[in-house]
Amino acid sequence: QVQLVESGGGLVQAGGSLRLSCAASGRTFSYYAMGWFRQAPGKEREFLAAISWSGGLTKYADSVKGRFTISRDNGQNTVYLRMNSLKPEDTAVYYCAADSDYSSSWYAYWGQGTQVTVSS
């Protein structure tokens, strides 16, 4: 079992930046690939980014490529999502997730989410 807790959300103006953090506890964090997702009101959950257990592989959705950066610190059991050039359409609840398989589109463990609101 892996427990995930997101933090770092909040209100930011368009064009601004935020860094989300996701702290993991439970089973060994470095065994897991990690992902970030978001869900806006009335919309389906959207994949944003993923990082392999070692941090050597990353992938991004086209909608955030070049603006968002995923990284991890296995010593701190934490994964990050740096978000730059934020847009009002980035407003959503952001979730981190963990799975043993980097190539999987299904994640076994999820956090509770953190709200990000981008004002125009």
Side-chain angles (χ1 to χ4, degrees):
Q1 193 79 354
V2 176
Q3 292 79 44
L4 303 172
V5 179
E6 301 94 338
S7 62
L11 175 63
V12 63
Q13 288 188 332
S17 299
L18 281 175
R19 189 182 76 161
L20 305 183
S21 299
C22 173
S25 61
R27 291 191 174 181
T28 305
F29 175 70
S30 60
Y31 288 172
Y32 291 90
M34 300 296 296
W36 283 97
F37 296 75
R38 69 186 178 190
Q39 188 166 20
K43 295 189 176 181
E44 293 187 353
R45 187 170 60 198
E46 175 188 13
F47 166 80
L48 300 176
I51 189 167
S52 62
W53 66 270
S54 66
L57 297 174
T58 57
K59 53 186 174 183
Y60 296 90
D62 288 343
S63 59
V64 303
K65 196 174 295 182
R67 298 191 298 125
F68 290 10
T69 303
I70 190 171
S71 61
R72 67 189 296 162
D73 183 339
N74 286 345
Q76 297 294 320
N77 289 354
T78 302
V79 64
Y80 304 98
L81 186 69
R82 175 69 179 183
M83 306 185 294
N84 295 329
S85 303
L86 284 163
K87 306 173 183 179
E89 52 263 43
D90 293 318
T91 295
V93 178
Y94 284 68
Y95 300 90
C96 69
D99 197 77
S100 59
D101 185 357
Y102 172 74
S103 62
S104 174
S105 59
W106 184 87
Y107 282 72
Y109 304 103
W110 292 83
Q112 293 300 305
T114 185
Q115 176 72 45
V116 172
T117 303
V118 184
S119 63
S120 57

